[in-house]
Every structure is written in structure tokens, then in C-alpha cells.
Amino acid sequence: GFERYIVLLLLVPVVVPFVEELFFRGYVMGFLLKGFAVEGESLKHKKVAFTVLFSSVVFALPHFQGASAMADFFILLWVFFFASVIAVVRIKTDSIYPGFAAHLVYNLATSLTILLVV
């Protein structure tokens, strides 16, 4: 019914990315980047790498829908990769908004594909 269109065209592309970006790239990454001080350039790079990897794993896990097929593994890898790219953008721009925009476009394209195919 009509509710399906509201979910697929408003909730999934707009609300979900906003909440996820606010939490994962805003709160989680912000906490990790500011939460512990490091001295030296080498440790700073390690802290950034850890932050990107950790936040991407934490982002990917709720998107895991089971391991019933090999495709599920690749979907999880794709979500992890997408999260890593957005995490790097968050660090480079010091803002969650570019990641939110990319996430919105991705979810909108996915939602439109579902509406057109199913």
C-alpha cells in the first residue's frame, strides 16, 4: 500500500541515513577521535586508522542479515567498504554532512530500484 512508498521514499533514504550518520560518524567517531590523546605522528595515524576500522565494523554489524548464502558475505563487505569511505570523508571534511549526502543518495537509489523491480 501507500505506507510502503512512504517508507521507501522518505524513511529509508532520509531518516535512516541521518540517524546512522549522526550516531556512527558523529558520536562514535567523534568519541574515538577526541576520546584519547596520542603523542606523535605515528600514533595519530594509528588512532585514525583504528577509528575508521572500528566505526566501519560497528556500522556493518547491524546491517548483517545472516550468512545463508555467499552473497550475504559480499553484502557485508560492501557495507563495510561504504562505511570506511564515508568515515574517511568524515575525517577529511570534519563534518558528517557529506557522508549523510552520499548515504542519502545511495539509500534513495536502492529504494527506487526496489520500487521499480518489485
Side-chain angles (χ1 to χ4, degrees):
F2 182 71
E3 299 83 17
R4 176 181 173 191
Y5 293 100
I6 290 176
V7 168
L8 283 173
L9 294 175
L10 180 63
L11 189 66
V12 171
V14 180
V15 176
V16 170
F18 181 74
V19 171
E20 287 181 343
E21 292 307 315
L22 197 61
F23 179 73
F24 292 106
R25 259 62 75 184
Y27 178 74
V28 172
M29 285 187 69
F31 176 79
L32 291 173
L33 290 170
K34 295 176 186 162
F36 52 93
V38 294
E39 296 293 327
E41 205 60 31
S42 174
L43 286 178
K44 187 176 182 182
H45 284 35
K46 288 178 183 177
K47 178 173 100 168
V48 168
F50 173 79
T51 298
V52 169
L53 290 174
F54 182 81
S55 67
S56 298
V57 166
V58 171
F59 179 81
L61 287 177
H63 292 83
F64 183 63
Q65 297 180 12
S68 60
M70 191 62 164
D72 295 328
F73 175 73
F74 289 110
I75 290 169
L76 192 60
L77 275 178
W78 169 250
V79 171
F80 174 80
F81 173 76
F82 184 74
S84 298
V85 170
I86 292 180
V88 170
V89 170
R90 154 66 167 92
I91 289 170
K92 294 282 187 187
T93 63
D94 196 29
S95 174
I96 66 168
Y97 295 111
F100 168 65
H103 199 154
L104 185 147
V105 169
Y106 179 82
N107 281 19
L108 180 61
T110 302
S111 293
L112 288 174
T113 301
I114 290 168
L115 281 173
L116 294 173
V117 173
V118 176

